[in-house]
Amino acid sequence: MAFPGADDEERSLRRLAALVSEAEKIGMPVIAESIPGTWARTIPWDAEHIAKCARICVEIGADAIKTMAPPDLADLPEVVANCEAPLFVLGGPKKDSEDDAVQYAADVVAAGASGIAFGRNTWGAEDPAAMVRRLHAAVHGST
């Protein structure tokens, strides 16, 4: 996990660089979770900051990025265009319904994300296996 823009950003970015170095030795790809500033949102989680933070992680050597989408999904293509690696969108807080989570997954992929990285919206579903199938269909357009 990397926190570009945080007061102590060098700590997480050095950790990411060390991980990338070790992973390269064994041919293992690195997916970096890029969070602008901190979980406390010390800097805005808007398209500009999300894109900059993702790019920093890619320039350090991450092979793919998982991060949040900007509040307005119309801005997600800008984030994707500025990220020279596959970008996976986090599910964020538990959605109001499973239908909302599935629709969000479809919307972020339609806006250009390579895929999703959902946690609580999957394992918190009434039937997690069925939810995974629904999310698969939303992302890949099939069942």
Side-chain angles (χ1 to χ4, degrees):
M1 198 171 300
F3 298 98
D7 289 340
D8 63 347
E9 71 178 1
E10 70 282 348
R11 195 169 134 212
S12 66
L13 296 177
R14 285 183 193 274
R15 220 176 14 239
L16 175 59
L19 175 65
V20 166
S21 178
E22 290 300 310
E24 284 178 349
K25 292 176 187 175
I26 60 171
M28 184 172 76
V30 172
I31 301 173
E33 185 165 353
S34 175
I35 307 299
T38 66
W39 288 112
R41 299 183 185 212
T42 54
I43 62 174
W45 286 5
D46 58 16
E48 176 187 356
H49 291 94
I50 295 167
K52 285 180 182 178
C53 293
R55 181 157 184 120
I56 288 168
C57 292
V58 170
E59 289 181 2
I60 287 173
D63 299 291
I65 300 297
K66 62 180 191 170
T67 191
M68 69 286 301
D72 183 351
L73 288 184
D75 294 332
L76 185 57
E78 172 189 344
V79 174
V80 172
N82 286 298
C83 184
E84 296 182 7
L87 187 134
F88 299 89
V89 172
L90 299 169
K94 183 101 166 70
K95 304 293 185 231
D96 291 336
S97 72
E98 292 179 14
D99 289 343
D100 288 348
V102 171
Q103 186 61 55
Y104 184 69
D107 290 346
V108 299
V109 170
S114 296
I116 58 171
F118 282 17
R120 68 184 58 84
N121 285 293
T122 304
W123 52 256
E126 185 173 321
D127 180 347
M131 185 61 161
V132 168
R133 288 189 293 276
R134 291 184 69 198
L135 290 169
H136 180 274
V139 170
H140 298 285
S142 62
T143 55

